[in-house]
Amino acid sequence: SPQKVTMRLREEYIHEQKLKNPEPNERPTHAIRRKTNTSGIEVKGIENCLVRLSKCCNPVPGDDIVGFITKGRGVSVHRADCPNIQPEVLSDEDKKRFIKVSWTGNNRSSYVATLRVEAEDRKGMMMQITTVLADLQMNCDSINARKLKDGSSVMTFGLEISGKDELKKAITRISHIPGVSSVVRTTN
């Protein structure tokens, strides 16, 4: 009806006028959203920027870390020993894109780190390793195992951890299992 159309146009006009000339004490009708950094990383000299933990090396609290300014994806945080950010693999332009980063006290609850275990291939080996992880109350995000031609096996464990100290405990305990020849943290 003509009355409804007139009322609708009036409402739109009033709304536009309020947007153009807001009253000084009036708050905006939309919520102002601020991003909070949930990664537990502080970027030196920059507040409120996009930070993501690199999947190639999975840094965890306690690791030495470096920031790399990406093109359009904020700052990517790598372990300092990550092979993807070593000077010999970067162009001269990319070498200028590093930025200082550090861990903050407000770290998220869990991070994923990958362990590679080399051991003899025998019955019960996987069970012994997973029992150690269960005793440490660690959750396995992923497990992969394969038998090698020389009679040994290689297993990788993606572990949810809270920091580097927890990872060191797992490495120490697994390395004491009879038949385990090496336990190392890997990059993906």
Side-chain angles (χ1 to χ4, degrees):
S1 79
Q3 242 179 349
K4 285 183 181 179
V5 172
T6 306
M7 289 298 288
R8 178 77 177 152
L9 289 172
R10 182 177 179 270
E11 288 173 7
E12 285 182 20
Y13 175 77
I14 291 171
H15 180 69
E16 286 178 13
Q17 291 303 312
K18 282 185 178 181
L19 290 177
K20 287 180 186 175
N21 304 315
E23 293 182 27
N25 294 334
E26 190 174 301
R27 289 189 170 183
T29 56
H30 62 283
I32 298 174
R33 299 171 89 195
R34 290 199 172 126
K35 288 185 179 179
T36 57
N37 185 346
T38 58
S39 64
I41 302 290
E42 178 182 12
V43 180
K44 186 176 182 175
I46 302 175
E47 284 188 34
N48 205 14
C49 73
L50 179 63
V51 175
R52 65 182 186 88
L53 299 174
S54 178
K55 300 274 187 227
C56 58
C57 57
N58 290 324
V60 298
D63 285 338
D64 292 331
I65 53 175
V66 295
F68 186 78
I69 301 169
T70 64
K71 295 178 181 176
R73 292 185 316 238
V75 175
S76 179
V77 178
H78 293 262
R79 286 177 21 203
D81 62 350
C82 178
N84 292 335
I85 58 154
Q86 297 308 310
E88 58 271 8
V89 298
L90 296 173
S91 68
D92 290 336
E93 179 186 324
D94 286 345
K95 290 176 186 175
K96 298 174 185 172
R97 294 170 50 196
F98 286 101
I99 190 165
K100 288 189 179 189
V101 292
S102 61
W103 295 105
T104 63
N106 58 342
N107 297 333
R108 62 186 195 200
S109 59
S110 70
Y111 299 81
V112 176
T114 305
L115 291 183
R116 176 186 163 101
V117 179
E118 293 181 16
E120 62 185 42
D121 183 34
R122 64 172 170 80
K123 290 181 183 178
M125 179 59 78
M126 178 74 78
M127 184 189 71
Q128 282 187 288
I129 295 170
T130 55
T131 299
V132 164
L133 296 173
D135 289 345
L136 292 170
Q137 297 184 348
M138 290 185 166
N139 189 40
C140 288
D141 187 57
S142 64
I143 298 176
N144 188 1
R146 65 181 189 276
K147 181 178 180 175
L148 302 178
K149 291 180 181 178
D150 65 359
S152 64
S153 63
V154 174
M155 295 163 269
T156 56
F157 297 86
L159 303 176
E160 289 182 12
I161 60 170
S162 60
K164 196 171 180 177
D165 291 339
E166 195 174 6
L167 188 61
K168 285 180 183 179
K169 286 180 190 175
I171 291 171
T172 301
R173 293 270 308 271
I174 293 170
S175 64
H176 286 96
I177 296 172
V180 171
S181 55
S182 79
V183 183
V184 293
R185 182 176 176 193
T186 66
T187 55
N188 293 339

